[in-house]
Amino acid sequence: MRIAVPTVAIFIAAFSFSAEVGAAPGLGDKVYGATLEAGETEFETRYGRLVGGEADGDDVLKLEVAHSFSDRFYGALVGKFERDFPASRKLSAVAVEGIYTLGKIGGIDAAVYGEYEIGLHGSDAVETKLLLEKRAGEFDARVNLIAEKPLNGEAIEFGYAASADVEAIGEFRLGAAAFGDLSHGEHFAGPVIKTEIGHLPGGSELELETGYLFAIGKAGNETDGQFRLLLEFATHF
């Protein structure tokens, strides 16, 4: 199915709101793909920790369970735990999120993402993303365009997430990822490694991603960078 670019632009403009205000770009986040596999259930653990600077030791842990009800729609529940080091980690928010695929736009897979986050110690917030993905053989490139809006009257903020990786040796993929807050000039970018363990019982698989992102721009005022670790277990029920 082909979707006209103006239609996508109107959809995104109508729902340009988002969450996760105040956290370092990319902390506990991933770069979403734009395709879904019907019937797949995912259990994810996403962890990010700031390294160096005034914010050294601050971290975010996200636990998520998601299900693709079809190859067009995905729904998920998310719990976010935050720690301002040396304080203890606490549950800071819970959220519901969904993805709806749009098909191909000029040979690029596209989807839209929406999230409503309930802040347990702050404002609720909503978020939208335009998800773009291009696969060519063993190469995979993804771009997420993000709009964020807390529901306490603060202004909409805009950001991005991007990654590119390629199969290197066996199941290992090498690449890079970048996250940024365009409203505040904060960016993180650096190398990532991904691998996959397949052929588990029930056709399940385990995916792992790790890497280190260097602080760029104003992000460097508080930290040197961030360590990231993502674990995803996917299965079919």
Side-chain angles (χ1 to χ4, degrees), residues 95-113:
V96 292
E97 65 181 36
I99 293 175
Y100 183 79
T101 62
L102 299 174
K104 290 186 179 294
I105 302 174
I108 298 176
D109 289 302
V112 288
Y113 165 107

Side-chain angles (χ1 to χ4, degrees), residues 7-226:
T7 301
V8 176
I10 292 172
F11 186 94
I12 295 299
F15 293 92
S16 290
F17 305 100
S18 132
E20 289 216 14
V21 180
L27 200 62
D29 280 338
K30 69 175 184 178
V31 185
Y32 285 83
T35 60
L36 302 174
E37 182 178 341
E40 184 175 75
T41 299
E42 301 174 353
F43 300 90
E44 296 185 13
T45 299
R46 306 200 298 266
Y47 177 75
R49 178 186 176 97
L50 297 179
V51 180
E54 296 179 1
D56 183 44
D58 291 359
D59 65 24
V60 172
L61 172 68
K62 288 188 177 181
L63 304 178
E64 176 175 318
V65 57
H67 182 73
S68 295
F69 296 93
S70 69
D71 60 1
R72 301 295 301 276
F73 179 72
Y74 149 118
L77 296 174
V78 185
K80 181 170 72 172
F81 300 80
E82 294 183 288
R83 179 174 66 169
D84 294 327
F85 187 81
S88 60
R89 185 175 294 109
K90 62 184 178 181
L91 177 64
S92 61
V94 293
V96 292
E97 65 181 36
I99 293 175
Y100 183 79
T101 62
L102 299 174
K104 290 186 179 294
I105 302 174
I108 298 176
D109 289 302
V112 288
Y113 165 107
E115 178 188 79
Y116 187 94
E117 180 181 271
I118 301 172
L120 302 182
H121 305 285
S123 173
D124 290 1
V126 286
E127 176 180 272
T128 61
K129 301 179 183 180
L130 173 62
L131 312 179
L132 304 173
E133 181 176 11
K134 177 65 176 180
R135 295 182 180 179
E138 299 301 330
F139 178 76
D140 186 324
R142 305 178 181 188
V143 175
N144 299 172
L145 304 178
I146 307 167
E148 308 180 59
K149 181 68 172 71
L151 301 183
N152 60 0
E154 294 184 9
I156 298 174
E157 298 183 357
F158 298 93
Y160 67 88
S163 70
D165 55 75
V166 65
E167 185 176 298
I169 302 174
E171 296 296 332
F172 284 90
R173 302 181 64 86
L174 302 180
F179 298 85
D181 181 341
L182 299 175
S183 301
H184 298 95
E186 297 180 339
H187 308 273
F188 289 86
V192 296
I193 300 174
K194 302 179 181 180
T195 192
E196 178 181 299
I197 302 174
H199 308 296
L200 298 177
S204 304
E205 60 185 29
L206 178 66
E207 297 182 8
L208 180 149
E209 176 185 333
T210 188
Y212 183 85
L213 308 182
F214 297 91
I216 302 171
K218 293 182 179 179
N221 295 338
E222 295 187 352
T223 187
D224 297 333
Q226 62 174 269

